[in-house]
Amino acid sequence: MLSRLLFSAALVAAGVQAQCNTRGPTSRVFYSMAIMNNDLYLSGGSKSILDVWKIDLSQGLDTSCPGWQPLYVQPSSNASSLYGPFMFGVMVPYTPVNQLMILGGDYNNTPAMSNGPVYFDLANNSFVIRPTQTNYYSKRSAMSVTMDNSGVAWIYSGRDPIDFNANPPTLNVQQADYYQFNMTTDPVAGGQDAVASPYGARPPRYAHTTTLVNNKLFTLGGYAMVNKSNTMIDFASAQIFDIHSKQALAMATIGDIPEARAGFSAVPSQDGQSIIVFGGMYANKSGSSEVHVLDTCTLTWSSKSTSGAATSTRLGHTAWMYGKYMVTMLGAQSNASPDDSNTPPFADNVAVLDTSSWTWVSSIPKGYTVVGPDTEPACAFQWPADFAAATQQQQGTAPTSYDPTVLANPNANGGGSSNTGTTSGNNGNNQLTTPQKGGIGIGVPLFLIACGALAFYMYRRNQKKKARPANPRWTGILAHGNSSRATSTNHPQPEPADMAADYPLATVAPKKDLRTYTAADHDQWEQQLMQSSTTTGNNQNAQSRHDDIWAQMRGMQAPADEERR
């Protein structure tokens, strides 16, 4: 019995070792990924190889040994004229017949990969052709695909496919429609949803993401053709499509809006109301490892700080939510455009983000129970009440340079303009970007410090004025003119007997035989005052000298008093 257990353990260890010895797919960008029955499938993303790979997530996932299983590998040199390498395509599960449906996108001498769906049979690990009802479907590339809970695959927008061998390739962007494939029927039935907006025609876009949240498709980023120029779309707005009412609109986003980028991934959060955006390529073609979250209830952006093992920058990749874990893989670290002459630095690894703690982890435990997004979230995006009754207009209330149909966000505090990424326009809100908030975070403390320093200087200056004893020559005048100021001095004074005795310079009837207060008396007073201020540690002597000064001043009068008489 023990020998059998040891033999079984050895077989398991050998199988794990064999999987770790299988390196898996490498040098892949803009590939296609789908999940079915806890199995994660990957295909495409290469100009030279057509292959299909699988990871069984039910066995857990170790990022150091993902357990890639090759299902199909065919170099381009042996490829038939029907199937071949592809990029910028999509792949969805066709569960009723245990197959994967692929719309190939860009291709290498194999136009069938993009002309219509091709299928990969998981039972025989081979490509097959099967009938599909593709009414009004236009072949395309760099589109997005999203599966809803009823088994419908939603395709949005895209550009014309490119032949890798075309020199130079022609970039034509003309699709701006929603197309659906019902993946529960045999054959697969497709149909187009011509969605109109009372605020003008939405622009065709490609290389974007579309995420399903609360029966609404949220489209972010990508590129658009503006005045025959390829323009990167920022995150200052989102395209929204209600899969039930078949209405679509674009609305401005608010909050900490991320910098514009392309080649990022977007997945639905576990809270049932948010979208998690990861990575991407900035306009300067550098990569990002940032994580941002869009709350779809108010279209408010926020950024997330992650912990754990640092992950590399990643773009041209795909991500998938497996319960609370976001699984992403492959892609490049920067400069991932397939049209560039230089080979980009690829990210040939797998990364896992625990979105419950925003921690990058090294594994998903075996036997992990997958729980889907919250079906009763705290809030949901509210469609504008007057949208259906809106009269036809040329543009929205907050048009941008790339999309004139954008509406102002009713959750924003007033109107304004936004300047994010490489494009700009009025997004109907006055929210600040991260760099602007950083400037305020530095400027406000500096302003407060400056105000505090000024207040402290004025306080010390006032205290110094109060600390200097008053000249007896002027005390009486102050007392006569403003009694409150006279009594506010801090120096000790003799007990007053009467006005003339205590305040010899006050305007009172003078007494006879009074000696005149002269400049010599003033000099004597200042000398004694200086002596008093330089002597420390003897408060009693200082008080005595002060009393003597006052005794000498009593009975004196100023020369001007003599003249007034």
Side-chain angles (χ1 to χ4, degrees):
M1 182 66 178
L2 180 60
S3 60
R4 290 182 179 179
L5 291 176
L6 292 175
F7 179 73
S8 299
L11 287 178
V12 172
V16 171
Q17 183 62 38
Q19 288 183 347
C20 288
N21 289 336
T22 302
R23 184 178 180 183
T26 60
S27 305
R28 304 299 172 92
V29 290
F30 304 109
Y31 53 85
S32 302
M33 192 162 66
I35 191 169
M36 183 168 60
N37 301 327
N38 291 320
D39 289 330
L40 193 63
Y41 296 95
L42 181 146
S43 185
S46 171
K47 291 183 179 181
S48 58
I49 298 176
L50 173 63
D51 51 10
V52 180
W53 296 81
K54 182 183 82 169
I55 296 179
D56 184 0
L57 294 178
S58 67
Q59 301 302 310
L61 177 63
D62 185 347
T63 57
S64 64
C65 178
W68 286 106
Q69 302 176 42
L71 303 182
Y72 181 92
V73 178
Q74 182 186 64
S76 59
S77 58
N78 298 325
S80 66
S81 59
L82 191 58
Y83 310 114
F86 69 95
M87 297 175 65
F88 292 103
V90 296
M91 181 168 61
V92 293
Y94 188 19
T95 306
V97 294
N98 196 30
Q99 294 180 355
L100 300 171
M101 186 183 79
I102 298 175
L103 296 168
D106 297 345
Y107 57 92
N108 186 355
N109 290 325
T110 52
M113 296 298 292
S114 61
N115 285 340
V118 297
Y119 296 84
F120 183 79
D121 191 330
L122 294 173
N124 301 315
N125 290 338
S126 61
F127 282 92
V128 296
I129 292 289
R130 58 181 304 117
T132 306
Q133 297 178 7
T134 55
N135 300 324
Y136 305 106
Y137 178 77
S138 300
K139 62 181 181 179
R140 63 193 72 190
S141 179
M143 61 288 207
S144 62
V145 64
T146 310
M147 288 284 293
D148 66 19
N149 296 328
S150 64
V152 174
W154 295 91
I155 307 289
Y156 177 61
S157 205
R159 57 167 170 78
D160 289 353
I162 295 175
D163 188 340
F164 295 148
N165 296 308
N167 190 21
T170 302
L171 189 63
N172 186 22
V173 186
Q174 60 181 359
Q175 285 83 16
D177 62 333
Y178 289 90
Y179 197 93
Q180 57 175 303
F181 286 99
N182 188 342
M183 305 303 297
T184 65
T185 61
D186 187 9
V188 172
Q192 184 186 48
D193 286 301
V195 182
S197 170
Y199 299 99
R202 60 184 176 275
R205 71 168 76 192
Y206 67 96
H208 53 275
T209 64
T210 300
T211 309
L212 180 69
V213 179
N214 288 323
N215 296 317
K216 296 177 181 65
L217 299 175
F218 292 83
T219 299
L220 302 172
Y223 290 91
M225 294 295 288
V226 179
N227 297 325
K228 299 182 179 180
S229 176
N230 196 32
T231 302
M232 182 183 291
I233 300 176
D234 59 27
F235 290 116
S237 67
Q239 177 80 30
I240 308 164
F241 175 69
D242 190 315
I243 63 175
H244 292 324
S245 66
K246 305 296 178 65
Q247 292 179 319
L249 61 78
M251 183 172 287
T253 61
I254 58 177
D256 190 5
I257 301 175
E259 183 178 349
R261 68 199 68 184
F264 57 91
S265 60
V267 293
S269 173
Q270 281 291 94
D271 63 8
Q273 67 186 57
S274 303
I275 297 174
I276 303 172
V277 170
F278 167 64
M281 179 182 70
Y282 299 117
N284 62 2
K285 297 187 178 180
S286 64
S288 170
S289 60
E290 296 177 342
V291 176
H292 299 271
V293 173
L294 177 66
D295 185 343
T296 62
C297 299
T298 58
L299 297 184
T300 301
W301 283 104
S302 63
S303 57
K304 294 296 181 181
S305 298
T306 59
S307 59
T311 184
S312 62
T313 58
R314 198 181 298 268
L315 55 117
H317 61 283
T318 303
W320 202 274
M321 284 299 290
Y322 188 69
K324 67 177 182 177
Y325 296 103
M326 184 187 78
V327 181
T328 184
M329 58 195 66
L330 305 179
Q333 298 180 32
S334 64
N335 198 17
S337 173
D339 298 326
D340 291 336
S341 57
N342 297 325
T343 301
F346 292 102
D348 292 332
N349 53 33
V350 176
V352 177
L353 178 65
D354 184 343
T355 62
S356 65
S357 61
W358 302 109
T359 304
W360 291 101
V361 297
S362 59
S363 62
I364 297 176
K366 181 179 180 180
Y368 169 70
T369 301
V370 178
V371 178
D374 191 347
T375 57
E376 297 182 357
C379 58
F381 179 81
Q382 298 297 320
W383 212 263
D386 58 348
F387 182 83
T391 58
Q392 193 68 33
Q393 303 178 40
Q394 293 184 351
Q395 63 181 27
T397 55
T400 65
S401 60
Y402 55 83
D403 188 353
T405 71
V406 176
L407 301 177
N409 192 319
N411 301 289
N413 297 322
S417 61
S418 174
N419 232 344
T420 58
T422 60
T423 59
S424 63
N426 183 0
N427 69 346
N429 67 77
N430 61 351
Q431 301 297 315
L432 301 176
T433 62
T434 298
Q436 290 171 329
K437 290 182 178 180
I440 293 176
I442 295 174
V444 171
L446 290 178
F447 175 76
L448 294 177
I449 291 173
C451 291
L454 179 60
F456 179 73
Y457 169 76
M458 297 301 294
Y459 170 78
R460 290 295 302 272
R461 182 180 180 184
N462 188 44
Q463 290 297 103
K464 288 182 179 180
K465 288 183 178 180
K466 290 182 179 181
R468 182 175 181 178
N471 188 332
R473 176 179 177 86
W474 306 110
T475 304
I477 298 176
L478 294 174
H480 182 71
N482 190 335
S483 60
S484 63
R485 291 176 62 187
T487 57
S488 66
T489 56
N490 296 325
H491 64 278
Q493 300 182 9
E495 293 296 329
D498 55 48
M499 193 68 166
D502 288 323
Y503 301 99
L505 299 184
T507 308
V508 295
K511 295 182 179 180
K512 295 182 178 181
D513 300 328
L514 292 178
R515 189 170 63 85
T516 301
Y517 179 82
T518 65
D521 297 315
H522 180 78
D523 292 340
Q524 181 183 3
W525 173 82
E526 284 198 336
Q527 291 175 5
Q528 292 182 3
L529 182 63
M530 292 295 295
Q531 179 183 359
S532 175
S533 63
T534 57
T535 305
T536 57
N538 194 340
N539 295 332
Q540 184 176 0
N541 291 338
Q543 178 66 41
S544 177
R545 283 193 296 272
H546 188 79
D547 293 345
D548 290 342
I549 295 173
W550 277 95
Q552 294 176 24
M553 296 301 104
R554 289 193 183 98
M556 292 184 179
Q557 67 180 11
D561 295 335
E562 187 70 24
E563 294 177 0
R564 284 194 297 271
R565 289 186 295 175

